[in-house]
Amino acid sequence: MNTADLGLPVDVPSTALFTDQYELTMLQAALAAGTADRRSVFEVFTRRLPEGRRYGVVAGTGRVLDAVENFRFDADVLAFLGERGIVDDPTLEWLSSYRFGGDVWGYPEGEVYFPGSPILRVEGSFAECVLLETVILSILNHDSAIAAAASRMASAAGDRPLIEMGARRTHELAAVAASRAAYVGGFATTSDLAAGFRYGIPTVGTSAHAFTLLHDTERDAFQAQVDSLGRGTTLLVDTYDVAEAVRTAVEVAGTELGAVRIDSGDLLLVAHRVREQLDELGARDTKIVVTSDLDEYAIASLAAAPVDAYGVGTQLVTGSGHPTCSMVYKLVARAESADPTAPLVPVAKKSSGGKTSIGGRKWAARRLDEHAVAEAEVIGTGPVPAELADQQLLVELIKGGQVLARESLDVVRDRHAAARTRLPLSAAQLSRGEPVLPTEYV
């Protein structure tokens, strides 16, 4: 069974209460004013990237599609809203039959984005679109932050695989979403079985220090693990003395030992010593896995070390210092009346505090240079220039309430890898800097 194709939420039968109260109070007021049915266009974008980041990564789109499909107000939810007096009876009646029937366009999941990029465009009546703001932002802000951190780590790791192992460092359901986003950003496996079950991500795991401490000797622990999991297992060698543990590991498992894991100390120095010792013992094919609070900078610092894989937890699931992308969901156009044929009028907030936005339904394209390397993110509200027609970024995700573009995670992961290769080389730099592409408005 491929559970990723079921379109089910992880934890609840409805996503309707994953919202802020003011979405419902706006709905109530708009219904009473006769403006709720006005055709509207909302867009998700960010005004700036997190400090030092060169690009963002779109992640969570598949989860957004699930959330929109499962945005339903069942009897228990309606009773809660009524008992609390959150909305009035006419609004409860309207909500009882809520089904999103509009259209959604967006950047394909795994694509990169920049300040101002219209990452998602939601079109329909004001009433049906405004309710989705909070759940869409909560998913995209979280997942895109994790995917961006994962992408930077993947760039730093090069061809060496990354293992996601942050489940114990975040909320249990956020851990599943984080694992999914990490896979999009370039991680190869996860330790989280819920993520493996829900999304088909390859899972890995062997033992912790507790298993070694359980046994009378380290040799007994290694023998028990090898007897159970085979010689190709990974043995944790830093519970006591690393050199002695490596020697014992090879004696127990032989030169067919799959890998050793180092979880503490000066990883650069210890990895070199362990590699030398393994080679001297004839275990030249035994790999070295390192863990211990790694981030993209620590991974980059180990580029010259004889390390074969990295396990990353806390820094990954917290966005490596940037746990959100500061994405917003803004009304950019609306009709002058509820007449379906009424033309759309651009609207935008005006502010002196850096929170201005640009009105109008937007398209986006990525201009390439003569070497097919991206050189600018181009955004406009009018006709698309002919030279950019085949470089447009938005694709149709939902039409008339029906999901059109549900994809496997492997497709999304491959898309991100390809998108990253089309960016200028400076995109992989970990030093602070501006977005690797300028945003141009036409």
Side-chain angles (χ1 to χ4, degrees):
M1 176 179 65
N2 185 357
T3 56
D5 293 333
L6 295 180
L8 299 176
V10 173
D11 57 324
V12 293
S14 169
T15 53
L17 291 185
F18 289 172
T19 191
D20 290 305
Q21 181 167 318
Y22 80 168
E23 316 289 11
L24 299 185
T25 54
M26 282 192 288
L27 168 65
Q28 176 178 304
L31 288 170
T35 53
D37 289 333
R38 287 188 176 185
R39 191 158 55 101
S40 300
V41 179
F42 287 82
E43 289 177 351
V44 174
F45 62 94
T46 185
R47 296 182 177 94
R48 63 191 65 84
L49 296 180
E51 184 179 0
R53 296 290 166 90
R54 302 300 181 92
Y55 60 90
V57 181
V58 178
T61 307
R63 296 207 308 121
V64 166
L65 299 180
D66 290 347
V68 171
E69 281 194 328
N70 289 284
F71 205 91
R72 306 281 187 267
F73 293 84
D74 58 24
D76 289 341
V77 170
L78 292 169
F80 164 77
L81 296 174
E83 291 165 2
R84 295 288 184 94
I86 293 171
V87 292
D88 59 19
D89 288 341
T91 305
L92 290 174
E93 179 63 27
W94 189 92
L95 292 172
S96 68
S97 59
Y98 177 85
R99 299 290 186 274
F100 179 73
D103 303 331
V104 177
W105 290 70
Y107 279 38
E109 188 166 15
E111 185 56 85
V112 297
Y113 71 87
F114 298 90
S117 297
I119 296 162
L120 203 72
R121 191 174 73 212
V122 183
E123 304 184 29
S125 70
F126 175 84
E128 63 183 336
C129 295
V130 74
L131 295 181
L132 300 176
E133 175 182 5
T134 303
V135 70
I136 286 176
L137 287 180
S138 67
I139 292 172
L140 292 180
N141 266 314
H142 173 269
D143 290 22
S144 296
I146 306 305
S151 180
R152 283 163 61 86
M153 293 174 188
S155 289
D159 295 331
R160 299 170 179 178
L162 292 158
I163 306 163
E164 185 281 310
M165 47 196 306
R168 63 193 64 190
R169 295 293 188 260
T170 187
H171 184 279
E172 65 270 19
L173 297 177
V176 180
S179 179
R180 181 187 185 280
Y183 192 68
V184 170
F187 274 58
T189 54
T190 180
S191 66
D192 192 299
L193 290 177
F197 173 77
R198 176 66 181 84
Y199 295 116
I201 301 169
T203 59
V204 295
T206 50
S207 68
H209 294 290
F211 187 75
T212 301
L213 296 171
L214 169 67
H215 293 80
D216 295 336
T217 68
E218 194 167 46
R219 179 180 295 274
D220 290 343
F222 288 174
Q223 189 65 62
Q225 184 174 328
V226 169
D227 289 346
S228 177
L229 301 179
R231 296 178 185 274
T233 191
T234 298
L235 295 176
L236 181 58
V237 295
D238 73 326
T239 305
Y240 305 118
D241 178 83
V242 173
E244 181 61 30
V246 170
R247 185 178 303 108
T248 303
V250 175
E251 289 176 359
V252 170
T255 57
E256 300 162 33
L257 174 62
V260 295
R261 178 162 74 95
I262 307 166
D263 188 50
S264 60
D266 182 337
L267 297 179
L268 179 62
L269 175 63
V270 175
H272 277 288
R273 288 177 175 174
V274 168
R275 181 73 271 160
E276 183 178 0
Q277 185 180 10
L278 287 170
D279 291 347
E280 289 175 351
L281 294 170
R284 297 182 177 278
D285 295 328
T286 299
K287 299 183 182 303
I288 297 175
V289 180
V290 296
T291 53
S292 186
D293 292 327
L294 298 177
D295 61 10
E296 59 266 48
Y297 301 102
I299 291 169
S301 72
L302 292 168
V307 171
D308 298 288
Y310 305 92
V312 190
T314 303
Q315 292 301 319
L316 174 66
V317 300
T318 57
S320 197
H322 298 290
T324 181
C325 302
S326 300
M327 293 179 185
V328 294
Y329 183 97
K330 296 298 182 183
L331 181 66
V332 297
R334 52 88 175 167
E336 294 180 334
S337 70
D339 183 344
T341 64
L344 289 172
V345 178
V347 295
K349 174 183 177 179
K350 293 183 179 179
S351 171
S352 59
K355 287 191 172 183
T356 57
S357 56
I358 298 174
R361 179 205 275 137
K362 299 173 194 65
W363 53 263
R366 189 160 298 144
R367 191 172 67 239
L368 307 178
D369 65 15
E370 64 274 18
H371 304 293
V373 175
E375 63 178 12
E377 193 87 340
V378 185
I379 299 170
T381 57
V384 180
E387 66 272 17
L388 296 176
D390 62 349
Q391 296 171 22
Q392 294 187 71
L393 292 163
L394 277 74
V395 298
E396 196 166 22
L397 302 172
I398 297 177
K399 183 176 180 62
Q402 300 299 310
V403 173
L404 303 178
R406 190 169 274 115
E407 300 177 304
S408 76
L409 269 187
D410 286 328
V411 168
V412 173
R413 188 170 183 267
D414 290 346
R415 176 182 294 125
H416 175 63
R420 202 167 59 201
T421 64
R422 290 191 291 269
L423 294 176
L425 290 177
S426 58
Q429 292 178 350
L430 298 180
S431 57
R432 295 185 181 278
E434 296 301 312
V436 71
L437 295 186
T439 300
E440 299 178 0
Y441 293 94
V442 298

